Amino acid sequence: MTRDKVIILGAAGRDFHDFQFFWSTAPNTEVMCFTAKQIPGISGRRFPPEMCKNDVNGNRYPEGLMIYPEDDLEELILSFGANTCALAYSDLSYATAQSLASRVNATGCKFIQLPPSLTQVKSTKPVIAVCATRTGTGKSQTTRFIANYLKDHGKKIAVIRHPMPYDKNLLKQRFQRFEVLEDMVKYNCTIEEREEYELHIEEGNLLFAGVDYEMILHEAEQDVDIVLWDGGNNDTPFYKPDLLITVADALRSGHEKHFYPGEVNVRMADLVLINKVNSLQNMDLAKDQAKKLGEIARNFCPILFGNSIVTPEARDPVTKKLLSINDAIRMVKGKRVLVIDDGPTLTHGGMPFGAGYVLASQLDAAEIIDPYPFAKNSLRDTLDKFRHLAHVLPAMGYGDQQIKDLEATVKAIDCDCIVVGTPINLESVIDLGDTPCVRARYNLEVNPEHIGQFKQALESVL
């Protein structure tokens, strides 16, 4: 029998999980390496042997596995003699996914995508999974809404976040438990990690993340009644859910049919929530989107509406005391502002703007400054690559150099106010100088006509 020699195509997330849970112990199979794309600076690392399940697979990977750039894929197939390539990352346009398949097939290799059923860990506790059609639909605000509802009903919950292990030493990130904000410093979290973790920690949600998601689940189960899976990008859940909620974006209608694996999430969903409906000009657009989603969702799957409510928050620059909403509004209204928005939403999520831009527009900023002429080094490269951006600066911070470039770019821009749409307290990561800063806080509000159905779905797990 021919031995499968596999290359896993990833982006430092699902690829590691699929390897550990499926490929590392698959019979008659040898994984040759990983490739990396989408996230800056994640190639050139080694997946450590301590996480390769060598104790149960006959020590197949005593040296671990190298991670190479996806751009070198054809050369890697040839040099390793690979006969199978497995796609294991998300929010890819169908054109990009098919182009990868064509590159692989042209070398004589098989191109495969594992179904969720082969990669989902079964929990001993009920699991509610929140996934999406695209990056930046509002998964985390939906997860926080659900967490608060469950806690109000006396349930102990743990949020397990889709992996974001960007440290050079992956073993250090094998298992992470976050209870206080200082834990993000302990684990040397990047801006992108903080964007997903900080609000959960602020709201008192016990949060887990890392690399080894079987270990993470088993640890989380010790403390809680219900596990909440807070998905990443538009990926499918790593755990078998008792309730799968898929969040669609009212501003990106139809994207589930064009970006892998968003359509998978819609087809598997127990409930679909169209978020940001309040950003539409009229409800007929949301109803039309719901009809189209209903064509591919399961027959019994309700399709509900939600609003993303954006409010301003500002603090006194000297005392750090919270200012009134009216004070925050005055800091933006009629002023020249720089908008910094969530990086992943703007880049591989494809949105031209985020919550910061929405807030600045709502509060009648006199001018939203174009950051492009002032962008430094890697930030200029990012803006050159993503030319669809509408006068917003993505909060790129996957590594120290990007964080330095972000700070230098901000300091080079003369403005009256900085409107921060990234979910984190950006001032805790970079020096924003003396310029006043207003944060865009955003939370989910389920449409009053649909809140009963939404709660009924949650109570089915309770």
Side-chain angles (χ1 to χ4, degrees):
M1 181 182 293
T2 303
R3 187 176 183 83
D4 279 332
K5 293 186 174 182
V6 180
I7 294 176
I8 302 176
L9 283 56
R14 169 163 289 283
D15 46 349
F16 299 157
H17 173 69
D18 284 5
F19 169 72
Q20 291 176 289
F21 189 68
F22 181 84
W23 292 110
S24 65
T25 56
N28 203 41
T29 300
E30 182 181 3
V31 175
M32 313 311 295
C33 66
F34 295 97
T35 63
K37 193 70 174 176
Q38 202 173 66
I39 308 299
I42 58 172
S43 61
R45 301 186 295 173
R46 182 177 294 275
F47 192 82
E50 292 88 345
M51 289 193 283
C52 289
K53 292 197 173 179
N54 286 319
D55 57 329
V56 294
N57 64 21
N59 200 30
R60 285 185 212 172
Y61 308 102
E63 304 299 325
L65 288 167
M66 278 301 298
I67 306 167
Y68 298 99
E70 187 186 274
D71 292 345
D72 299 338
L73 181 57
E74 288 84 353
E75 295 175 20
L76 293 168
I77 292 171
L78 180 63
S79 62
F80 283 112
N83 54 23
T84 303
C85 287
L87 180 62
Y89 65 109
S90 55
D91 217 349
L92 295 170
S93 70
Y94 283 1
T96 298
Q98 188 55 53
S99 177
L100 277 172
S102 298
R103 289 173 61 190
V104 170
N105 291 163
T107 69
C109 264
K110 293 179 292 184
F111 181 82
I112 67 171
Q113 296 152 281
L114 294 178
S117 60
L118 292 182
T119 63
Q120 288 180 339
V121 186
K122 182 73 175 78
S123 177
T124 61
K125 299 293 175 71
V127 174
I128 299 175
V130 179
C131 296
T133 57
R134 290 299 310 275
T135 303
T137 61
K139 296 182 300 298
S140 287
Q141 60 185 263
T142 303
T143 306
R144 288 187 284 113
F145 180 97
I146 295 168
N148 288 331
Y149 181 84
L150 295 176
K151 288 188 294 185
D152 287 346
H153 283 71
K155 297 298 181 182
K156 294 176 65 178
I157 61 99
V159 177
I160 303 181
R161 180 57 173 72
H162 184 279
M164 306 177 73
Y166 304 139
D167 196 281
K168 291 293 182 184
N169 185 343
L170 287 168
L171 194 58
K172 286 168 53 180
Q173 296 186 286
R174 184 174 191 170
F175 169 84
Q176 299 171 319
R177 178 185 176 117
F178 298 88
E179 296 184 74
V180 294
L181 294 174
E182 288 74 18
D183 288 333
M184 293 190 293
V185 178
K186 171 184 172 182
Y187 291 116
N188 193 32
C189 290
T190 63
I191 286 177
E192 280 68 23
E193 290 169 285
R194 287 170 177 264
E195 286 174 336
E196 305 302 336
Y197 304 164
E198 186 170 306
L199 296 186
H200 279 303
I201 300 169
E202 278 188 353
E203 295 186 11
N205 297 333
L206 177 61
L207 177 72
F208 296 87
V211 180
D212 188 336
Y213 275 76
E214 287 181 271
M215 174 188 284
I216 290 166
L217 179 61
H218 295 153
E219 291 293 331
E221 288 169 338
Q222 309 306 311
D223 296 314
V224 301
D225 302 311
I226 297 177
V227 172
L228 298 185
W229 172 257
D230 188 359
N233 287 3
N234 63 348
D235 204 355
T236 56
F238 289 11
Y239 305 135
K240 183 173 177 56
D242 297 277
L243 175 67
L244 172 58
I245 296 173
T246 297
V247 184
D249 192 333
L251 299 175
R252 288 176 283 181
S253 178
H255 279 221
E256 65 282 347
K257 290 187 176 181
H258 299 281
F259 292 87
Y260 174 81
E263 184 174 346
V264 179
N265 285 324
V266 174
R267 291 183 178 275
M268 295 194 308
D270 299 302
L271 182 153
V272 174
L273 177 71
I274 303 176
N275 194 19
K276 309 179 192 176
V277 168
N278 56 320
S279 296
L280 298 176
Q281 293 180 342
N282 61 71
M283 286 297 293
D284 288 340
L285 294 172
K287 293 174 182 177
D288 182 62
Q289 184 178 0
K291 181 180 179 181
K292 291 177 180 176
L293 285 163
E295 293 171 358
I296 61 173
R298 294 192 281 186
N299 289 335
F300 58 83
C301 177
I303 299 173
L304 312 182
F305 298 157
N307 302 320
S308 184
I309 306 301
V310 184
T311 55
E313 177 185 288
R315 293 183 179 274
D316 185 282
V318 178
T319 66
K320 302 302 179 184
K321 288 183 178 180
L322 194 64
L323 300 176
S324 70
I325 289 180
N326 286 334
D327 285 337
I329 291 172
R330 282 192 288 270
M331 292 167 68
V332 178
K333 186 177 178 65
K335 302 296 176 60
R336 297 175 64 254
V337 303
L338 166 67
V339 172
I340 304 173
D341 265 326
D342 175 64
T345 298
L346 300 180
T347 54
H348 48 270
M351 281 290 287
F353 56 82
Y357 187 93
V358 170
L359 183 66
S361 301
Q362 288 177 350
L363 300 186
D364 296 323
E367 178 187 355
I368 299 176
I369 297 169
D370 180 5
Y372 184 82
F374 310 96
K376 307 298 182 185
N377 304 318
S378 63
L379 263 294
R380 174 60 67 94
D381 295 339
T382 298
L383 294 178
D384 281 334
K385 182 177 181 180
F386 299 100
R387 298 309 295 264
H388 66 282
L389 299 182
H391 285 209
V392 292
L393 184 65
M396 303 300 288
Y398 288 105
D400 291 341
Q401 189 56 53
Q402 279 197 328
I403 292 173
K404 291 176 182 176
D405 293 340
L406 178 63
E407 182 176 292
T409 300
V410 171
K411 288 184 174 180
I413 297 174
D414 179 26
C415 61
D416 300 318
C417 180
I418 299 171
V419 178
V420 177
T422 174
I424 68 170
N425 176 15
L426 195 58
E427 292 178 281
S428 68
V429 183
I430 66 172
D431 180 7
L432 297 178
D434 297 326
T435 307
C437 178
V438 173
R439 290 180 68 179
R441 291 282 195 173
Y442 38 98
N443 292 287
L444 174 68
E445 175 190 81
V446 179
N447 188 299
E449 295 180 7
H450 292 159
I451 188 64
Q453 285 179 276
F454 195 85
K455 289 181 177 179
Q456 185 178 17
L458 299 181
E459 287 163 6
S460 71
V461 178
L462 287 174

